[in-house]
Amino acid sequence: MTGVVIITGGSRGIGAATAELLAGQGWSPCVSYRDRADAAEEVVARCQAIGAKASAMRADVSVEDDVLRLFRAAEDELGPVRALVNNAGIVAPRSRVADFTAERLDRMFGVNVLGPLLCAREAVRRLSTASGGPGGSIVNVSSRASELGGSGEYVDYAASKAAVDTFTVGLAKEVAQEGIRVNAVRPGLIDTEIHASGGQPDRIERVKAVVPMGRAGQPLEIAEAIAWLLSDRASYVTGALLDVGGGR
Ligand code: NAP
């Protein structure tokens, strides 16, 4: 199976690596972004340079209207959607639970939980064979934090990813007989800008010692797992939570 794949947060990091890998495997990526139009257009250009159709669109996944526009734009510009990579996600500055604000929690759960659920809803509406769709595949990008807990750093982020795990398992069972597979990848410590965005630019140096492999992973190492789960090579895999964390 190939076709149009929507990759949320495809302008940088894991999403960008996934877009480029999938473009090379015959997919047509539609990448969404929140602010960095320049980065998103560079990803599109790299996909097109290897012969793929690709497009980019600004869409905040926590805003329902943006999600609706994203799916319509992908269809208008590239064709029928066959797959979704729910990748966009955020962290917040290091904080103990006692210091959390309601505003922080609202944003965290809006982007990391509401967003993927809204995108999954739009994908299922289009893909389900029960409503005449062609079937397809959804991969959610969770985190090893969902089991590790994020204590003293970001318990809210970890809890948001636990919600992603649960919705992966539940949705997978719900649509298992409607031609849609739903899986999650749970990355460990990956070398992207997300750590600096949470005010911890030195996080990889600080944390890598507790990774059994002794190093951070690269975005492409996560993209490879996503691409496999998305593909027909994983045709009997659904409801799986695949840890890609160097042993952590
Ligand atoms: P990143 O380098 O910070 O990139 C984040 C991407 O998400 C960017 O494309 C960004 O767009 C987009 N984005 C952020 N908020 C958005 C929103 N509200 N709506 C739409 N797009 C939004 O992050 P990353 O490290 O690649 O992380 C990707 C996913 O992997 C996340 O779900 C993250 O939780 C998960 N993960 C990462 C790690 C890690 O160590 N890096 C570990 C475990 C799990 P702009 O470019 O416009 O800002």
Side-chain angles (χ1 to χ4, degrees):
M1 177 181 70
T2 53
V4 176
V5 53
I6 291 179
I7 303 166
T8 65
S11 50
R12 294 183 291 115
I14 292 167
T18 302
E20 289 177 48
L21 182 66
L22 290 176
Q25 296 177 355
W27 291 86
S28 304
C30 174
V31 298
S32 81
Y33 61 95
R34 178 192 47 189
D35 298 318
R36 292 283 305 276
D38 57 329
E41 289 304 339
E42 281 175 25
V43 172
V44 168
R46 287 198 291 272
C47 292
Q48 290 172 338
I50 51 179
K53 289 203 295 180
S55 67
M57 184 174 171
R58 184 189 302 272
D60 184 332
V61 292
S62 68
V63 177
E64 185 174 22
D65 282 350
D66 282 18
V67 171
L68 297 177
R69 278 195 303 111
L70 172 63
F71 276 77
R72 281 198 295 265
E75 287 166 336
D76 290 348
E77 290 169 26
L78 300 174
V81 173
R82 291 303 309 274
L84 166 68
V85 180
N86 254 329
N87 167 76
I90 55 167
V91 294
R94 191 174 190 157
S95 172
R96 289 170 57 84
V97 171
D99 298 318
F100 283 175
T101 62
E103 189 183 19
R104 168 187 170 122
L105 297 176
D106 202 40
R107 186 77 193 136
M108 182 71 71
F109 282 81
V111 176
N112 289 5
V113 182
L114 177 67
L117 277 162
L118 288 173
C119 290
R121 182 192 72 188
E122 291 308 305
V124 168
R125 285 178 175 173
R126 288 163 172 80
L127 299 177
S128 172
T129 55
S131 47
S137 184
I138 298 173
V139 176
N140 296 323
V141 181
S142 174
S143 171
R144 286 293 299 130
S146 71
E147 278 191 351
L148 296 169
S151 304
E153 195 172 28
Y154 34 53
V155 167
D156 52 347
Y157 172 79
S160 75
K161 293 301 188 179
V164 171
D165 290 356
T166 303
F167 118 69
T168 300
V169 171
L171 179 60
K173 291 175 180 169
E174 193 169 293
V175 297
Q177 295 192 25
E178 298 176 25
I180 306 173
R181 293 182 302 102
V182 186
N183 293 288
V185 170
R186 300 198 295 194
L189 182 71
I190 308 302
D191 188 3
T192 73
E193 294 167 349
I194 200 170
H195 311 290
S197 76
Q200 299 191 62
D202 62 340
R203 186 166 184 271
I204 287 177
E205 279 310 307
R206 198 164 41 76
V207 178
K208 72 181 184 188
V210 302
V211 178
M213 282 191 179
R215 67 170 178 87
Q218 292 303 310
L220 182 58
E221 295 179 291
I222 304 303
E224 290 282 4
I226 294 170
W228 176 71
L229 285 170
L230 211 63
S231 77
D232 291 336
R233 299 189 303 275
S235 55
Y236 198 54
V237 183
T238 198
L241 309 175
L242 177 56
D243 293 342
V244 189
R248 185 167 182 239

